[in-house]
Amino acid sequence: METTNFNCQPTHLADDLIWLAPLQAGDFEQLYAVGSDPLIWAGHPQLDRYKKEKFQVYFDEAVKGKNALLVFDKASNELIGSSRFYAFQPEISRVAIGYTFLAHKYWGGRYNLAMKTLMLNHAFTTVESVVFHIGATNIRSQKAVEKIGANKISSEGFIFNNSPIPYFEYEIRKAKWISPT
């Protein structure tokens, strides 16, 4: 299997519920309208990402990385969130999915499952392993990836604002992935 290239911004990911599109530099105001809800970030390591200046940094990194996708409700064409592919490691055939958020009214599994399924199906056309890095306090996201078959493989930490932030790494292997669609 060829793993030297990975398309982090595919243009044709859709199902009956949602569709994903590459994030562009001009999408800030539209995405910030979704991401400005403090409730979205309550379980994340950066609790104040709902503030415009904090969200701008998050957004600018996504644009620079050319790896983020916008998530739209197919029925209404409403922008409902975003996610990213990142940390592509061709030498071990692995990519990460993360930096994900959905508008609060789309919580509850169905939309997150659809987004993750589309992204995993895309990833597994190229790689053998997908990982998720989830803050140790983000129980909602931990449960969500466990529901789709991810296994916790390590506990790590990174430095944020001069403080260590613990997180867990979860993995789904292509050989074990059973797409619900």
Side-chain angles (χ1 to χ4, degrees):
M1 175 176 283
E2 175 64 39
T3 60
T4 57
N5 293 306
F6 182 78
N7 181 0
C8 289
Q9 288 188 309
T11 57
H12 301 291
L13 296 182
D15 65 11
D16 292 340
L17 192 62
I18 62 168
W19 57 277
L20 284 68
L23 176 95
Q24 304 295 318
D27 294 326
F28 178 80
E29 291 300 331
Q30 185 181 9
L31 188 58
Y32 180 64
V34 178
S36 62
D37 178 358
L39 189 58
I40 290 172
W41 308 106
H44 289 254
Q46 190 172 6
L47 299 173
D48 61 352
R49 192 172 279 155
Y50 66 90
K51 294 178 181 175
K52 196 166 196 170
E53 66 277 6
K54 301 290 185 174
F55 193 85
Q56 185 73 59
V57 172
Y58 168 85
F59 181 85
D60 290 347
E61 289 171 355
V63 170
K64 183 179 177 186
K66 297 179 182 174
N67 61 355
L69 298 165
L70 299 175
V71 183
F72 293 87
D73 178 340
K74 199 167 192 179
S76 67
N77 284 327
E78 176 183 359
L79 177 61
I80 64 171
S82 180
S83 192
R84 298 183 202 176
F85 288 109
Y86 66 98
F88 173 55
Q89 297 175 281
E91 67 281 2
I92 60 171
S93 191
R94 179 166 96 166
V95 71
I97 294 174
Y99 296 91
T100 302
F101 73 91
L102 290 172
H104 182 243
K105 74 178 189 177
Y106 291 93
W107 291 3
R110 197 169 141 208
Y111 289 86
N112 188 48
L113 175 61
M115 175 183 51
K116 293 288 193 310
T117 297
L118 289 170
M119 293 179 77
L120 286 161
N121 287 342
H122 171 72
F124 288 139
T125 65
T126 306
V127 299
E128 296 297 321
S129 171
V130 173
V131 294
F132 303 87
H133 302 110
I134 302 173
T137 60
N138 191 344
I139 305 304
R140 185 170 35 92
S141 291
Q142 291 171 39
K143 287 181 179 182
V145 297
E146 288 170 355
K147 281 183 187 177
I148 60 171
N151 296 305
K152 189 186 306 181
I153 60 171
S154 69
S155 299
E156 305 290 334
F158 65 93
I159 303 300
F160 179 77
N161 288 340
N162 296 317
S163 299
I165 304 292
Y167 70 88
F168 301 128
E169 184 173 70
Y170 286 80
E171 178 184 48
I172 297 178
R173 304 230 13 111
K174 180 179 180 176
K176 301 279 185 179
W177 171 238
I178 300 170
S179 178
T181 58

